[in-house]
Amino acid sequence: IMQKILLRNASVRAIILYMKKTVFSYAKGDAEMHLEALQKLTLLDYPGRTAATLFTHGCNFRCPFCHNAGLVVRPSETVVDENELFAYLDKRKKLLDGVCITGGEPLLQKDICELIGALTAKGYYVEIETNGSVSLKEFTNITPAPSFTMDYKLPGSGMEDKMNRDNFALLSGKDTVKFVAGSRNDLERFKEVVDSYSLTGRCNVYLSPVFGKIDMEDMVNYMIENKMNGVTLQAQLHKIIWEPDKRGV
């Protein structure tokens, strides 16, 4: 259906409405392990570490501003072979110290706990980027526990009702909650959540704009007015330096 919509040159608005109405009925563990791609080196995805990034396929959300939309709907024919993955990591052990697992929504993948355990057993620190809908409880029992960058979806995403707020109590100083705002209403809800759960005293808090929907100066002024000194503002530099839709940068 999605391909037909695209082939008919439907408007972006129509595609977004389609995506919102057809959210996958993924439950945890329903998705077969599908490692879509491997970025062999990143200095950005796991702050403070040289890392590799694993991308998984599939997500239970349809956020209109998703920057990895290609991983959400249509799996590619290319799959990262786990044996080749671990052979690469063994070879790069002295150069890499972390692995970031993102998606899609990686915590929906079958056997994701086993994958995390295998990576930590090899001495790698593991960072999980998650959309905030899946409980983190069982993953905090892994030793050493991975760190989490967890989204909190604001009203503009249309996904806030799917947030698992119990996860906030499981976060610590090594973890991050990330918000993406596209309006004044989003900013006000962002502040409400941060204050209600005392997030700046618990973990790192990042705030990013929906590109083209909100002025970053307005975001900074809002943070100043509300004395949100414990929040880090993130700019999507790749959209500022290059054309916003340019891929692979």
Side-chain angles (χ1 to χ4, degrees):
I1 295 174
M2 176 59 96
Q3 290 177 338
K4 289 181 180 179
I5 291 174
L6 291 172
L7 289 171
R8 291 173 186 169
N9 296 317
S11 67
V12 172
R13 178 177 174 80
I15 295 171
I16 291 172
L17 288 173
Y18 166 85
M19 293 173 75
K20 284 185 176 180
K21 290 177 181 177
T22 57
V23 175
F24 279 178
S25 59
Y26 272 136
K28 185 188 172 302
D30 283 352
E32 292 294 330
M33 178 63 74
H34 187 121
L35 301 178
E36 182 94 1
L38 170 65
Q39 182 177 336
K40 293 185 174 182
L41 175 65
T42 176
L43 302 178
L44 299 175
D45 292 335
Y46 199 157
R49 300 194 183 281
T50 55
T53 301
L54 276 172
F55 296 87
T56 65
H57 171 262
C59 187
N60 54 335
F61 283 5
R62 293 294 182 272
C63 301
F65 49 77
C66 180
H67 65 277
N68 278 343
L71 297 174
V72 172
V73 181
R74 300 178 300 278
S76 71
E77 296 180 0
T78 303
V79 178
V80 177
D81 180 84
E82 289 190 40
N83 291 327
E84 293 180 6
L85 165 66
F86 283 104
Y88 171 77
L89 293 176
D90 286 341
K91 184 172 65 174
R92 306 293 284 182
K93 188 66 179 69
K94 293 183 179 180
L95 299 175
L96 300 176
D97 56 4
V99 176
C100 175
I101 308 177
T102 186
E105 174 45 58
L107 298 186
L108 295 176
Q109 297 286 324
K110 186 177 181 180
D111 300 329
I112 186 66
C113 280
E114 287 77 4
L115 175 61
I116 296 170
L119 291 169
T120 58
K122 286 186 173 292
Y124 282 99
Y125 295 96
V126 177
E127 160 87 358
I128 304 292
E129 294 188 350
T130 175
N131 65 22
S133 67
V134 180
S135 173
L136 303 182
K137 189 171 184 179
E138 70 173 289
F139 303 100
T140 61
N141 294 327
I142 298 172
T143 304
S147 57
F148 299 97
T149 294
M150 187 183 81
D151 293 346
Y152 186 92
K153 304 298 184 182
L154 294 168
S157 70
M159 300 292 159
E160 188 182 10
D161 63 328
K162 297 176 176 60
M163 292 292 92
N164 188 327
R165 296 174 184 85
D166 292 341
N167 283 337
F168 288 137
L170 302 173
L171 301 178
S172 66
K174 64 180 173 43
D175 303 313
T176 299
V177 178
K178 184 172 66 177
F179 299 82
V180 179
S183 66
R184 176 79 182 196
N185 182 53
D186 279 350
L187 288 176
E188 290 174 352
R189 178 57 177 155
F190 153 70
K191 182 180 184 303
E192 182 180 346
V193 173
V194 169
D195 290 346
S196 296
Y197 293 93
S198 302
L199 292 183
T200 53
R202 178 184 296 276
C203 60
N204 304 299
V205 179
Y206 290 174
L207 176 65
S208 298
V210 178
F211 188 81
K213 295 294 186 182
I214 190 170
D215 194 312
M216 290 189 68
E217 182 178 352
D218 293 338
M219 299 175 74
V220 171
N221 288 335
Y222 184 87
M223 292 167 64
I224 293 172
E225 290 166 9
N226 290 280
K227 298 180 173 59
M228 304 192 77
N229 298 324
V231 175
T232 299
L233 183 68
Q234 277 192 317
Q236 295 173 298
L237 290 178
H238 62 288
K239 290 182 178 291
I240 297 171
I241 298 171
W242 294 280
E243 290 297 319
D245 296 329
K246 187 175 179 63
R247 308 298 294 177
V249 294

